[in-house]
Amino acid sequence: MRFWFSKKKNSSECINNKKNNDEIYKAVLKNREAIDALEKKQVQVEKKIKQMEIEAKQKVDQNQMNNAKILLKRKKLYEQELENILNNRLTLEDNMINLENMHLHKIAVNALSYSANTHKKFNNEINTQKVEKIIDIIQENKDIQEEVNQALNFNLINNVDDDEIDKELNLLKEQSMEEKLSVEVNKIPEIPKDEEKVNFTNIEKEVSKVKEESDDEELKELIGEMT
């Protein structure tokens, strides 16, 4: 996958990278072939060591001590050969690991180098002066837009007829006064019918009481005149 900012490598660079990769591959392959050969040789030597040990034991059982010593000496030689094989194999494996690590280091260094060059290129393209210039242009455009908006709003307000506004305002005042009067009228409480009956009954009782008191006073005056 190629990123948008990546650049195409030139032919010479591609050839060099391919050549280096081929050399590393060949070196690793040769080490692997040598290790495989040593592994096969190791198996053969281990079998011979085991065989020498078995034969020497048989010679001891047969009381052939000289032959047993010869077999043990041969066994010792095979053991030395086995030790050399193991050392050579270990050296080859270590060398192969180093080659692989060198290849990985080379890949990492190439990636870091490419990233650093790309970063440097971007810094050259996007510097402080360019950024400040862009910000100034944006601010200038915002100021122009604000002036245009203010001009449009001013024209809209000036086009409104003041007489129509006054008429609408007076109409709103009248509606407001009517609503207030309606609210005040609705606030007057109504006298319940039961209370009206109670009040009329009380009034009748008071009138009757007054009449009785008046009759009593007239009767007293009449009796006084007769005596």
Side-chain angles (χ1 to χ4, degrees), residues 108-125:
V109 170
N110 289 338
L112 290 173
S113 177
Y114 183 77
S115 299
N117 292 332
T118 304
H119 197 181
K120 183 178 180 180
K121 180 182 177 182
F122 282 172
N123 286 335
N124 292 332
E125 293 178 356

Side-chain angles (χ1 to χ4, degrees), residues 66-149:
N66 291 330
N67 291 332
K69 287 181 179 180
I70 293 172
L71 291 171
L72 291 175
K73 288 180 180 180
R74 291 178 63 187
K75 174 177 174 286
K76 184 63 66 176
L77 292 175
Y78 283 124
E79 288 177 349
Q80 291 177 357
E81 184 180 2
L82 178 62
E83 185 177 357
N84 291 331
I85 290 172
L86 293 175
N87 289 332
N88 291 333
R89 180 179 173 182
L90 182 62
T91 301
L92 289 171
E93 289 179 350
D94 182 64
N95 187 40
M96 188 169 62
I97 292 172
N98 290 332
L99 286 171
E100 292 175 349
N101 288 335
M102 287 176 62
H103 181 56
L104 293 176
H105 292 161
K106 183 177 181 298
I107 293 174
V109 170
N110 289 338
L112 290 173
S113 177
Y114 183 77
S115 299
N117 292 332
T118 304
H119 197 181
K120 183 178 180 180
K121 180 182 177 182
F122 282 172
N123 286 335
N124 292 332
E125 293 178 356
I126 306 174
N127 52 37
T128 306
Q129 294 179 352
K130 289 183 178 180
V131 173
E132 291 178 351
K133 186 176 180 180
I134 292 171
I135 292 174
D136 291 339
I137 293 173
I138 293 173
Q139 186 62 43
E140 184 179 355
N141 291 332
K142 288 176 65 177
D143 294 339
I144 293 172
Q145 185 64 39
E146 184 66 24
E147 291 177 359
V148 171
N149 291 335

Side-chain angles (χ1 to χ4, degrees), residues 49-62:
I49 291 172
K50 191 172 183 180
Q51 183 180 357
M52 294 296 105
E53 186 177 355
I54 293 172
E55 290 179 359
K57 187 176 180 182
Q58 290 175 352
K59 296 299 180 181
V60 170
D61 293 338
Q62 295 172 2

